[in-house]
Amino acid sequence: MFRPLTRAWRGLLPSKALLSMRGTSRGARGNTNPINKVAVVTGSTNGIGFAIARRLAQDGAHVVVSSRKQENVDQAVATLQGEGLSVTGTMCHVGKAEDRERLVATAVKLHGGVDILISNAAVNPFFGNLIDVTEEVWDKILDINVKATALLTKAVVPEMAKRGGGSIVIVSSVAAYSPFPSLGAYNVSKTALLGLTKNLAIELAQWNVRVNCLAPGLMKTSFSRMLWENQEREESIKAAMLIKRIGKPEDCAGIVSFLCSEDANYITGETVVVAGGVLSHL
Ligand SMILES: NC(=O)c1ccc[n+]([C@@H]2O[C@H](COP(=O)([O-])OP(=O)(O)OC[C@H]3O[C@@H](n4cnc5c(N)ncnc54)[C@H](OP(=O)(O)O)[C@@H]3O)[C@@H](O)[C@H]2O)c1
């Protein structure tokens, strides 16, 4: 949605103005949004989170990347800074309260506040029948995928309120609507995120904080390796798609940047499915 608009604007701009825009903090793509916003992205040293972090920074945001492992954070920050982007990072295991607090504190210390939260980190430690899922596995999936999202939101909202509002995007999955076989507990956690999105959108509107959700289909990342590294399984998954290819993390990034932009300022409580036309909802 961004790009045709951006191209149209470019056509109206004298080339000198375009050149000076590129030289400012407006980001490499010349978009007007989300310029100078501060964005925190969880699970952003790889896969979908990394692509979102890169795109937000390209679109002009100051981005704080994070994940459990310091070496992954260092590598992601080095890569994105090497591309000329305004990116810093800190370690954050989203299941740990002290890590969540440090993530928010880092953004406030380095950039003065938080405008955007992308809650992307998730786990799936179990493949099999739902009735075989142990209590320990249920706790882990619900803690990381659902509870941590709610608690991180709680930690950032006061910062957003101080700045007059903000935008939150929760990364769910198309599995929230169309369950993946043998991933029952994960599917349930992703359906819960649709409810969390709706409920938070209602509660946070009073602070001008919008809450939306992204539901990706199968994306080629290490998280989903099990689903695409077997060629037969990959072909059967592709057969159910209207767009006959497995997604790339970049397919998710632009829509998240749009949801965080002023162009989306009348959208809250919604879920966008990015799944190549896999059957989701009406
Ligand atoms: N790939 C798909 O097909 C697909 C489809 C639908 C939805 N999704 C959703 O998209 C999101 C990202 O998945 P992905 O495929 O991009 O995964 P990925 O490529 O495996 O990347 C996961 C990222 O999260 C970090 N991470 C893992 N556990 C974490 C934790 N507890 N706290 C903080 N960071 C953590 C990892 O770094 P460290 O190891 O350093 O922590 C890594 O940066 C997830 O919510 C997933 O459910 C994925």
Side-chain angles (χ1 to χ4, degrees):
M1 286 195 194
F2 259 175
R3 287 175 203 205
L5 194 61
T6 303
R7 269 201 293 274
W9 284 350
R10 279 186 178 168
L12 296 172
L13 283 169
S15 55
K16 244 185 168 174
L18 189 59
L19 277 174
S20 76
M21 257 173 69
R22 286 203 183 115
T24 69
S25 61
R26 287 181 173 228
R29 287 166 195 267
N31 291 327
T32 56
N33 288 310
I35 297 169
N36 283 330
K37 300 280 187 201
V38 179
V40 166
V41 188
T42 68
S44 48
T45 57
N46 209 348
I48 295 169
F50 181 78
I52 292 170
R54 173 185 267 150
R55 178 59 189 262
L56 286 171
Q58 286 173 340
D59 288 345
H62 305 288
V63 178
V64 182
V65 299
S66 61
S67 77
R68 292 167 302 179
K69 299 182 192 122
Q70 187 64 51
E71 68 265 30
N72 292 345
V73 172
D74 293 343
Q75 196 178 15
V77 169
T79 302
L80 296 176
Q81 284 184 351
E83 294 171 12
L85 300 172
S86 175
V87 174
T88 52
T90 187
M91 219 170 72
C92 174
H93 183 317
V94 294
K96 296 184 178 167
E98 65 274 22
D99 283 19
R100 293 192 297 264
E101 279 158 26
R102 191 181 48 243
L103 179 59
V104 177
T106 301
V108 172
K109 188 172 158 208
L110 295 177
H111 304 294
V114 183
D115 304 290
I116 293 168
L117 167 66
I118 314 298
S119 180
N120 168 72
V123 286
N124 174 50
F126 184 79
F127 193 80
N129 292 331
L130 197 50
I131 51 167
D132 294 328
V133 177
T134 62
E135 186 166 355
E136 195 189 11
V137 167
W138 271 115
D139 283 347
K140 183 163 186 182
I141 290 180
L142 295 177
D143 275 1
I144 302 297
N145 298 6
V146 184
K147 208 169 84 182
T149 299
L151 293 173
L152 191 52
T153 298
K154 182 178 176 178
V156 296
V157 165
E159 296 303 330
M160 291 177 171
K162 279 183 208 162
R163 287 156 80 92
S167 175
I168 296 172
V169 177
I170 295 172
V171 179
S172 172
S173 167
V174 75
Y177 296 108
S178 283
F180 290 142
S182 304
L183 294 176
Y186 170 81
N187 298 335
V188 169
S189 75
K190 292 297 181 177
T191 306
L193 291 176
L194 307 186
L196 186 64
T197 301
K198 282 280 179 209
N199 282 276
L200 287 173
I202 293 166
E203 278 193 33
L204 303 187
Q206 62 188 304
W207 292 293
N208 194 29
V209 175
R210 297 183 296 104
V211 187
N212 290 294
C213 184
L214 175 80
L218 182 59
M219 301 288 149
K220 210 162 222 173
T221 69
S222 54
F223 186 81
S224 60
R225 183 178 301 278
M226 198 194 295
L227 298 173
W228 52 259
E229 70 182 355
N230 171 316
Q231 184 140 17
E232 210 177 306
R233 190 176 282 153
E234 178 176 341
E235 291 309 319
S236 80
I237 288 171
K238 281 201 283 197
M241 293 171 169
L242 301 183
I243 299 168
K244 303 271 177 221
R245 66 171 174 83
I246 291 184
K248 305 184 295 291
E250 291 72 23
D251 293 323
C252 298
I255 191 72
V256 171
S257 185
F258 164 72
L259 288 171
C260 297
S261 75
E262 290 303 313
D263 288 336
N265 70 12
Y266 202 49
I267 302 176
T268 193
E270 298 297 340
T271 298
V272 180
V273 178
V274 178
V278 161
L279 191 62
S280 54
H281 50 86
L282 282 180

